[in-house]
Amino acid sequence: MEPTTRTHPAGLFVGLCTLDVIQLVDRVPGADEKLTSRDQTVAAGGPAANAAVTFTHLGGRARLLTAIGSHPLGRAVTADLRQLGVTVTDLAAESSEPPAVSSVLVTAATGERAVASTNATRHRLAPPGDLDALVAASDIVELDGHHGDLALAAARAARSAGRPTLLDGGSWKDGTQELLPLIDVAVCSADFHPPGTRTPAGTLRYLRDHGVTWSAVSGGAGPVEWAGPEASGTVEVPAVPVADTLGAGDVLHGALAHLLAGSGDLTSQTFAGALRDAAAVASRACASFGTRAWMRGA
């Protein structure tokens, strides 16, 4: 089944959702030290969730397949996402445990962030019975590698349905190697280190050797290095005054998913162009505090 080209493309986002508690500080406190933050924000977060929010903001229709739960904090997370237009399928809806919480300190002078989170360690999710239908209704399937069994099932369903898959490689995880042969496009951070690799070039070679057709490695404000079947290159990231780097990679993937959804066969030119446009959106997100302020008036 071929993906359809739509004015408002549909994306299925599979992976982590958290409650992000973000504090803007002058510096990260030391042991036993307290300080007053300059600002704070609280929002639904996590790689897949932030990508889904970005996809929706850019005009797409996003569904998030994740674990949140029925705890009051979880209900707030779900309400936040739905208010932003994301359709949520909560595979842990019966759980009364609190959702995963990410505690984030953003340093005001540099925009650098320090994050502590339980991530997806509390849930092992079984694929929903309607997974094939959810995939078939989508133009692209984006995965962040969390909830590994679910990610693998979604990637297999996408391959069977002829839907393109996009991997957000934030870090190497258990099960990533099994996932790679089912991935069409992988865009990884500099912290994504497959076994035996130490450089972006090594990561790109590893991804190619394990079945990924199009791949890229981002490096913060530095160029994005990419490789395809017949060519490779770099894409410059627009320079902006950086206020907060939290979620920049998630925004990059949400924007890239929107650009690739229903786009048909990629070429070196179209892939590099999509990376360039997605990087511009991610850079814009870095110019304001928190993961949402960039969308206001954009």
Side-chain angles (χ1 to χ4, degrees):
M1 185 182 299
E2 292 299 323
T4 57
T5 301
R6 298 170 175 167
T7 304
H8 301 288
L12 180 64
F13 295 80
V14 182
L16 181 64
C17 184
T18 64
L19 174 66
D20 285 358
V21 180
I22 311 167
Q23 303 279 349
L24 183 66
V25 297
D26 290 320
R27 57 184 175 80
V28 176
D32 295 324
E33 181 183 6
K34 296 181 180 179
L35 54 77
T36 301
S37 62
R38 292 189 181 191
D39 200 355
Q40 71 171 23
T41 186
V42 179
N50 285 332
V53 168
T54 300
F55 189 89
T56 298
H57 174 70
L58 295 175
R61 294 176 295 113
R63 178 181 291 272
L64 176 65
L65 201 55
T66 189
I68 300 174
S70 61
H71 186 278
L73 291 176
R75 292 200 297 270
V77 168
T78 300
D80 183 42
L81 290 169
R82 287 176 175 165
Q83 184 178 16
L84 292 165
V86 176
T87 301
V88 178
T89 296
D90 182 7
L91 299 179
E94 301 304 316
S95 173
S96 61
E97 294 296 314
V101 176
S102 290
S103 300
V104 186
L105 297 178
V106 177
T107 302
T110 64
E112 295 172 317
R113 75 280 192 274
V115 183
S117 178
T118 58
N119 289 336
T121 56
R122 293 187 176 183
H123 299 284
R124 184 168 184 175
L125 302 181
D130 62 346
L131 179 61
D132 289 345
L134 293 176
V135 168
S138 303
D139 295 300
I140 193 166
V141 176
E142 195 258 16
L143 312 106
D144 64 15
H146 291 279
H147 300 302
D149 292 343
L150 177 63
L152 191 58
R156 286 172 175 159
R159 183 56 53 91
S160 295
R163 298 298 186 260
T165 50
L166 169 62
L167 174 66
D168 176 352
S171 62
W172 185 264
K173 302 174 180 65
D174 290 340
T176 299
Q177 187 161 332
E178 289 73 27
L179 193 59
L180 291 182
L182 301 166
I183 297 299
D184 298 302
V185 179
V187 180
C188 308
S189 77
D191 295 325
F192 181 88
H193 297 297
T197 66
R198 294 182 179 275
T199 65
T203 295
L204 294 174
R205 283 194 301 271
Y206 187 98
L207 293 171
R208 179 198 61 203
D209 292 344
H210 287 76
V212 180
T213 305
W214 299 94
S215 57
V217 177
S218 62
V224 178
E225 300 185 35
W226 65 269
E230 299 178 351
S232 61
T234 60
V235 168
E236 295 296 324
V237 174
V240 297
V242 175
D244 186 356
T245 59
L246 179 67
D250 311 339
V251 172
L252 174 72
H253 285 85
L256 185 61
H258 187 262
L259 290 160
L260 298 181
S263 63
D265 294 336
L266 286 172
T267 66
S268 296
Q269 183 176 2
T270 57
F271 182 56
L275 285 172
R276 185 175 298 107
D277 291 346
V281 177
S283 292
R284 190 163 76 243
C286 291
S288 55
F289 171 62
T291 53
R292 304 284 173 74
W294 70 275
M295 296 188 295
R296 294 194 282 270

